[in-house]
Amino acid sequence: MDQENKVANEEGDIECYYGKDMEDRIYSQPLLTKRYNTTSQIAIVGANACPVESLDYEIIENELFKQDWRSRRTIQIFQYVLLKWAFALIIGLGTGLVGIFNNIAVENISGFKLLMTTKLMLEHKYYKAFAALASCNLALAAAAAALCAYIAPAAAGSGIPEVKAYLNGVDAHSILAPSTLFVKIFGSILCVSAGFVVGKEGPMVHTGACIASLIGQGGSRKYHLTWRWLRYFKNDRDRRDLITCGAAAGVASAFRAPVGGVLFALEEAASWWRSALLWRTFFTTAVVAIVLRAFIQLCSTGTCGLFGEGGLIMYDVSAAKVAYSVPDILAVILLGVIGGIFGSLYNYLVDKVLRTYSIINEKGPAVKILLVVTISLLTSICSYGLPWFATCIPCPIDTTESCPNTDLSGNYKSFQCPPNHYNDLASLFLNTNDDAIRNLLSTSTTKEFHISSLFIFFIAIYCLGVITYGIAIPSGLFIPVILAGAGYGRLIGRLFDPITKLDVGLFALLGAASFLGGTMRMTVSLCVILLELTNDLLLLPLVMLVLLISKTVGDMFNHGVYDQIVKLKGLPYMEAHAEPYMKHLVARDVVSGPLITFSGVEKVGNILHALKTTGHNGFPVIDEPPFADAPELCGLVLRSHLLVLLKGKIFSRDRVLSGDEVVHRISKFDFAKAGSGKGVKLEDLDIKDEEMDMYVDLHPITNTSPYTVVETMSLAKAAVLFRQLGLRHMCVVPKSQGRPPIVGILTRHDFLPEHILGLYPHIRLRK
């Protein structure tokens, strides 16, 4: 789209476009001012409200499509299937390599910074140590913020809500753009290395989706990449499947959890699923696992700098004895309840902080960077200052590790303590986030951390995690939640130590699980991811129990954090279930007009006028005499297809059928959705005055089998059908004869609560 039509959302982590008008006028609203949409009669809350399109997941069964399938030979079908698996392989390889690169870069950059700080601390140069730590963090944070603010604002944040919305059918091209991928990779490395309480796991999901989107573009005429085989993927349906594989690969790369990645895509990311996609997703994550394992073995020899076995999140707690009784079960239930309460409070606070940051970020890129630098300075002060409040602890006699340790990672940081003593808070704060989690989950170290230190760490991480998410950097939520959850889990373990048999390291793991369940409201995928992370199947019953309890408690207060962020960004996400008040309405109650239809053989001027004066994306085609005995619904034609047909100028002076000429002169792939190149725009048409009164046959490009519902179908039933089939348009037909063959068209916009409650403000009160 033209650069002048590009409007960046001031929230800092999503872009929208004022491009072609869309028939399903959906608006992305980042929260601030109240506007009134005269087209749909909805009061919209938002600054820079901008329309977004739905994706065409439905197969357009027009004559060109049928002709193409009839002409395909067996070898071409085999090529198509083979390419699907080849793309899945490439996505797995690419995402795995990016995951390794991220970890190597973070470990080396963070290692250099922490080793320099430790060296100055050992020389008792405490002020210089803080200056070195803070200056490194500020420089890294400013660089990450500059990338997001100036190059790709869509790369800020986790990226999981945007991927989730895309897979639900919301067209947001900037979210998966090459610039977004670039900033997501390098911005994530910089901000994690800067010591922010963020993770690279959410950004890895977004990264995997971006890689899949680039591969699934089906070639580009702009860059002369139009290999004949790639043309089969110039449709939203195949791109959706590839992006689902990419999202699963991102989780597998971040957590070294291939099965967890598949389940994450199934439970959280994807809105549509089928068995064939399950196989390809599993294959993609298996490739990621192989790539990760190969590079981990390579790096274990010391060829990757400071990156070694600890570079990828893998917390082995299998050494701990898993035996539990009734008091242990009660403690686990308490953990689940606490996780649900803390998780729902976390989601509430994140919502408020994002609303506040959206106001601040409106002032421009410079203010975004200033906000990031401010949070970075605050994080550095907490990381370096809070350990001074901890008391030095004598080194344990029976430990196999060096105490105190002076290298990058380890449980026993000397900080300001005398010889043979360590600072437990410094062991948590002056470490990478991965190593801090590893220290919290360490087993057979019951009294390694003071209760007061665990309490201070939990409060600090909880608050820093809340205020950090939403600034203009790529930031994941998994690591902050795991850190805070492991902190209070180990704290509960210390308090229950006299009556429980479970190791405090296992309590830390269950605390992390409870907080994850309380914030993200996932169960199956989180359970498998945690088991793959910790390598302890004996904990399965307890992890299942704590996840179920925390999710149940959290659902009593608010929605999951990703659902809240999707709503916060104004992305028109359709839930799997219909709202209760929809049962009191029927399909015709929310149809908005006026309805614009075309004849099967329509005048060029009429089509051009409709395209110029409306923003509709789909138009019903009505056959009338002499082409039919009575007016009947022929099908639905897309705006993009009309533009291609008008550009081809297959016109006739008489109102006659000319479908055979269209089929022979224009290929099906001319109507394929544009990838990285530009599709046909209204401005590209050069229609002369004498051509305005000519006719064009719409039958060859009309989808003759659109999904239709009778006007008396309940809106709740229509909404579930619309979502499950992944539709963009749903035709509403009359119940009785003798009326026009179509009542109206339902789109995603018509099912949004804002639209329905705008038409019927009192309907919510009815049960």
Coordinates of all heavy atoms in Angstrom, one line a residue, residues 397-444:
I397 N 28.3 -26.5 52.9 CA 29.5 -27.3 52.9 C 29.4 -28.4 51.9 O 30.4 -28.8 51.2 CB 29.7 -27.9 54.3 CG1 29.9 -26.8 55.3 CG2 31.0 -28.8 54.3 CD1 30.0 -27.2 56.7
D398 N 28.2 -29.0 51.7 CA 28.1 -30.1 50.8 C 27.8 -29.8 49.4 O 27.4 -30.7 48.6 CB 26.9 -31.0 51.4 CG 25.6 -30.2 51.5 OD1 25.7 -28.9 51.4 OD2 24.5 -30.8 51.7
T399 N 27.9 -28.6 48.9 CA 27.6 -28.3 47.5 C 28.7 -28.7 46.6 O 29.9 -28.7 47.0 CB 27.4 -26.7 47.4 OG1 27.1 -26.5 46.0 CG2 28.7 -26.0 47.7
T400 N 28.3 -29.1 45.4 CA 29.3 -29.5 44.4 C 29.7 -28.3 43.5 O 30.7 -28.4 42.7 CB 28.7 -30.6 43.5 OG1 27.5 -30.1 42.9 CG2 28.4 -31.8 44.3
E401 N 29.0 -27.2 43.6 CA 29.4 -26.0 42.9 C 30.3 -25.1 43.6 O 30.4 -25.2 44.9 CB 28.1 -25.2 42.5 CG 27.1 -25.9 41.7 CD 25.9 -25.0 41.4 OE1 26.1 -23.8 41.2 OE2 24.8 -25.5 41.2
S402 N 31.1 -24.3 42.9 CA 32.0 -23.4 43.5 C 31.1 -22.3 44.2 O 30.2 -21.8 43.7 CB 32.9 -22.7 42.5 OG 32.1 -22.0 41.5
C403 N 31.5 -22.0 45.5 CA 30.8 -21.0 46.2 C 31.8 -20.1 47.0 O 32.6 -20.6 47.8 CB 29.9 -21.6 47.2 SG 28.9 -20.5 48.3
P404 N 31.7 -18.8 46.7 CA 30.9 -18.1 45.7 C 31.5 -18.3 44.3 O 32.7 -18.4 44.2 CB 30.9 -16.6 46.2 CG 32.3 -16.5 46.8 CD 32.6 -17.8 47.5
N405 N 30.6 -18.2 43.3 CA 31.1 -18.3 42.0 C 31.2 -17.0 41.3 O 30.5 -16.0 41.6 CB 30.1 -19.2 41.1 CG 28.7 -18.6 41.0 OD1 28.1 -18.4 42.0 ND2 28.3 -18.2 39.8
T406 N 32.2 -16.8 40.5 CA 32.5 -15.5 39.8 C 32.3 -15.6 38.3 O 32.6 -14.6 37.6 CB 33.9 -15.1 40.1 OG1 34.8 -16.2 39.6 CG2 34.2 -14.9 41.6
D407 N 31.7 -16.7 37.8 CA 31.5 -16.8 36.4 C 30.1 -16.2 36.1 O 29.4 -15.6 36.9 CB 31.6 -18.2 35.9 CG 30.7 -19.2 36.6 OD1 30.0 -18.7 37.5 OD2 30.6 -20.3 36.2
L408 N 29.6 -16.5 34.8 CA 28.4 -15.9 34.4 C 27.2 -16.3 35.2 O 26.4 -15.6 35.7 CB 28.2 -16.2 32.9 CG 26.8 -15.8 32.3 CD1 26.6 -14.4 32.4 CD2 26.7 -16.3 30.8
S409 N 27.0 -17.6 35.3 CA 25.8 -18.2 35.9 C 26.2 -18.9 37.2 O 27.4 -19.0 37.6 CB 25.1 -19.2 35.0 OG 26.0 -20.3 34.7
G410 N 25.2 -19.4 37.9 CA 25.5 -20.1 39.2 C 24.6 -19.6 40.3 O 23.9 -18.6 40.2
N411 N 24.5 -20.5 41.3 CA 23.6 -20.2 42.4 C 24.1 -19.3 43.5 O 23.4 -18.8 44.3 CB 23.2 -21.5 43.1 CG 22.2 -22.4 42.2 OD1 22.3 -22.3 41.0 ND2 21.3 -23.1 42.9
Y412 N 25.4 -19.1 43.5 CA 26.1 -18.4 44.6 C 26.9 -17.2 44.1 O 28.1 -17.4 43.8 CB 27.0 -19.4 45.4 CG 26.3 -20.7 45.8 CD1 26.5 -21.9 45.1 CD2 25.3 -20.7 46.8 CE1 25.8 -23.0 45.4 CE2 24.7 -21.9 47.2 CZ 24.9 -23.0 46.5 OH 24.3 -24.2 46.8
K413 N 26.2 -16.1 44.1 CA 26.9 -14.8 43.7 C 27.5 -14.2 44.9 O 26.8 -14.0 45.9 CB 25.9 -13.9 43.0 CG 25.4 -14.3 41.7 CD 26.5 -14.1 40.6 CE 26.0 -14.4 39.2 NZ 27.0 -14.2 38.2
S414 N 28.8 -13.8 44.8 CA 29.4 -13.1 45.9 C 28.9 -11.7 46.2 O 28.6 -11.4 47.4 CB 30.9 -13.0 45.6 OG 31.6 -12.3 46.7
F415 N 28.8 -10.9 45.2 CA 28.3 -9.5 45.3 C 29.2 -8.8 46.3 O 30.4 -8.7 46.1 CB 26.8 -9.5 45.7 CG 26.2 -8.2 45.3 CD1 26.1 -7.8 44.0 CD2 25.6 -7.3 46.3 CE1 25.4 -6.6 43.7 CE2 25.0 -6.2 46.0 CZ 24.9 -5.8 44.7
Q416 N 28.7 -8.3 47.4 CA 29.5 -7.5 48.4 C 29.9 -8.4 49.6 O 30.4 -7.8 50.6 CB 28.7 -6.3 48.8 CG 27.8 -6.4 50.1 CD 26.6 -7.3 49.9 OE1 26.4 -8.0 48.8 NE2 25.7 -7.4 50.8
C417 N 29.6 -9.7 49.5 CA 29.8 -10.5 50.7 C 31.3 -10.9 50.9 O 32.1 -10.9 50.0 CB 29.0 -11.8 50.6 SG 27.2 -11.5 50.6
P418 N 31.6 -11.2 52.2 CA 33.0 -11.6 52.5 C 33.3 -13.0 51.9 O 32.4 -13.7 51.4 CB 33.0 -11.6 54.0 CG 31.6 -11.8 54.4 CD 30.8 -11.1 53.4
P419 N 34.5 -13.5 51.9 CA 34.8 -14.8 51.4 C 34.0 -15.9 52.1 O 33.6 -15.8 53.2 CB 36.3 -15.0 51.8 CG 36.8 -13.6 51.8 CD 35.7 -12.7 52.4
N420 N 33.7 -16.9 51.3 CA 32.9 -18.1 51.7 C 31.5 -17.7 52.0 O 30.8 -18.4 52.8 CB 33.6 -18.8 52.8 CG 34.9 -19.3 52.5 OD1 35.2 -19.8 51.4 ND2 35.9 -19.2 53.4
H421 N 31.0 -16.6 51.5 CA 29.6 -16.2 51.7 C 29.0 -15.8 50.3 O 29.8 -15.5 49.4 CB 29.5 -15.0 52.7 CG 29.7 -15.4 54.1 ND1 31.0 -15.7 54.6 CD2 28.9 -15.5 55.1 CE1 30.9 -15.9 55.9 NE2 29.6 -15.8 56.2
Y422 N 27.7 -15.8 50.2 CA 27.1 -15.5 49.0 C 25.8 -14.6 49.2 O 25.3 -14.6 50.3 CB 26.7 -16.7 48.1 CG 25.6 -17.5 48.6 CD1 24.3 -17.3 48.1 CD2 25.8 -18.5 49.6 CE1 23.2 -18.1 48.6 CE2 24.8 -19.3 50.1 CZ 23.5 -19.1 49.6 OH 22.4 -19.8 50.1
N423 N 25.4 -13.9 48.2 CA 24.2 -13.1 48.3 C 23.1 -13.7 47.5 O 23.2 -13.8 46.2 CB 24.5 -11.6 47.8 CG 23.4 -10.7 48.0 OD1 22.2 -10.9 47.6 ND2 23.7 -9.5 48.5
D424 N 22.1 -14.2 48.1 CA 21.0 -15.0 47.4 C 20.2 -14.1 46.4 O 19.8 -14.6 45.4 CB 20.1 -15.7 48.4 CG 19.4 -14.7 49.4 OD1 19.9 -13.6 49.5 OD2 18.5 -15.2 50.1
L425 N 20.0 -12.8 46.8 CA 19.2 -12.0 45.9 C 20.1 -11.6 44.6 O 19.5 -11.6 43.5 CB 18.8 -10.7 46.6 CG 17.4 -10.6 47.1 CD1 17.1 -9.3 47.8 CD2 16.4 -11.0 46.1
A426 N 21.4 -11.5 44.8 CA 22.2 -11.2 43.7 C 22.3 -12.4 42.7 O 22.4 -12.3 41.5 CB 23.6 -10.9 44.1
S427 N 22.1 -13.6 43.3 CA 22.1 -14.8 42.5 C 20.9 -14.9 41.6 O 20.9 -15.6 40.6 CB 22.2 -16.1 43.4 OG 23.3 -16.1 44.2
L428 N 19.8 -14.1 42.0 CA 18.6 -14.1 41.1 C 18.6 -12.9 40.2 O 18.2 -13.0 39.0 CB 17.4 -14.1 42.0 CG 17.2 -15.3 42.9 CD1 16.0 -15.1 43.9 CD2 17.0 -16.6 42.1
F429 N 19.0 -11.7 40.7 CA 18.9 -10.5 39.9 C 20.1 -10.3 38.9 O 19.9 -9.9 37.8 CB 18.8 -9.3 40.8 CG 17.5 -9.0 41.4 CD1 17.2 -9.2 42.7 CD2 16.5 -8.6 40.6 CE1 16.0 -8.9 43.2 CE2 15.2 -8.4 41.1 CZ 14.9 -8.5 42.4
L430 N 21.3 -10.7 39.4 CA 22.4 -10.5 38.5 C 22.8 -11.7 37.7 O 23.9 -12.3 37.8 CB 23.6 -10.0 39.3 CG 23.5 -8.6 39.9 CD1 24.7 -8.2 40.7 CD2 23.2 -7.6 38.8
N431 N 21.8 -12.2 37.0 CA 21.9 -13.4 36.2 C 21.0 -13.2 35.0 O 20.1 -12.3 35.0 CB 21.4 -14.7 36.9 CG 22.6 -15.6 37.3 OD1 23.5 -15.7 36.5 ND2 22.5 -16.3 38.4
T432 N 21.1 -14.0 34.0 CA 20.1 -13.9 32.9 C 18.8 -14.5 33.4 O 18.8 -15.2 34.4 CB 20.6 -14.8 31.7 OG1 20.7 -16.2 32.1 CG2 21.9 -14.3 31.2
N433 N 17.7 -14.2 32.8 CA 16.4 -14.7 33.3 C 16.4 -16.2 33.3 O 15.8 -16.8 34.2 CB 15.3 -14.1 32.4 CG 15.1 -12.6 32.6 OD1 15.5 -12.1 33.6 ND2 14.6 -11.9 31.6
D434 N 17.0 -16.8 32.3 CA 17.0 -18.3 32.2 C 17.7 -18.9 33.4 O 17.3 -19.8 34.0 CB 17.6 -18.7 30.9 CG 16.8 -18.4 29.7 OD1 15.7 -17.9 29.9 OD2 17.3 -18.6 28.5
D435 N 18.9 -18.3 33.7 CA 19.7 -18.8 34.8 C 19.0 -18.5 36.2 O 19.1 -19.3 37.1 CB 21.1 -18.2 34.8 CG 21.9 -18.8 33.7 OD1 21.8 -20.0 33.4 OD2 22.8 -18.1 33.2
A436 N 18.3 -17.4 36.3 CA 17.5 -17.1 37.5 C 16.4 -18.2 37.7 O 16.2 -18.7 38.8 CB 16.9 -15.7 37.4
I437 N 15.7 -18.6 36.6 CA 14.7 -19.6 36.7 C 15.4 -20.9 37.1 O 14.9 -21.7 38.0 CB 13.9 -19.7 35.4 CG1 13.2 -18.5 35.1 CG2 13.0 -20.9 35.5 CD1 12.5 -18.4 33.8
R438 N 16.5 -21.2 36.5 CA 17.2 -22.4 36.9 C 17.6 -22.5 38.3 O 17.5 -23.5 39.0 CB 18.4 -22.6 35.9 CG 19.1 -24.0 35.9 CD 20.1 -24.1 34.8 NE 19.4 -24.1 33.5 CZ 19.4 -23.1 32.7 NH1 20.1 -22.0 32.9 NH2 18.8 -23.3 31.5
N439 N 18.0 -21.4 38.9 CA 18.4 -21.3 40.3 C 17.1 -21.5 41.2 O 17.2 -22.2 42.2 CB 19.0 -19.9 40.6 CG 20.4 -19.8 40.0 OD1 21.0 -20.7 39.6 ND2 20.8 -18.6 39.9
L440 N 16.0 -20.9 40.8 CA 14.8 -21.1 41.6 C 14.3 -22.5 41.6 O 13.7 -23.0 42.5 CB 13.7 -20.1 41.1 CG 13.9 -18.6 41.4 CD1 12.9 -17.8 40.6 CD2 13.7 -18.4 42.9
L441 N 14.5 -23.2 40.4 CA 14.0 -24.6 40.3 C 15.0 -25.6 40.8 O 14.8 -26.8 40.7 CB 13.6 -24.9 38.9 CG 12.5 -24.0 38.2 CD1 12.2 -24.5 36.8 CD2 11.3 -24.0 39.1
S442 N 16.2 -25.2 41.3 CA 17.2 -26.1 41.7 C 16.6 -26.9 42.9 O 16.0 -26.4 43.8 CB 18.4 -25.4 42.2 OG 18.2 -24.5 43.2
T443 N 16.9 -28.2 42.9 CA 16.4 -29.1 43.9 C 17.5 -29.4 44.9 O 18.7 -29.2 44.7 CB 16.0 -30.4 43.3 OG1 17.0 -31.0 42.5 CG2 14.8 -30.2 42.3
S444 N 17.1 -30.0 46.1 CA 18.0 -30.3 47.2 C 18.7 -29.1 47.7 O 19.9 -29.3 48.2 CB 18.9 -31.4 46.8 OG 18.2 -32.6 46.3

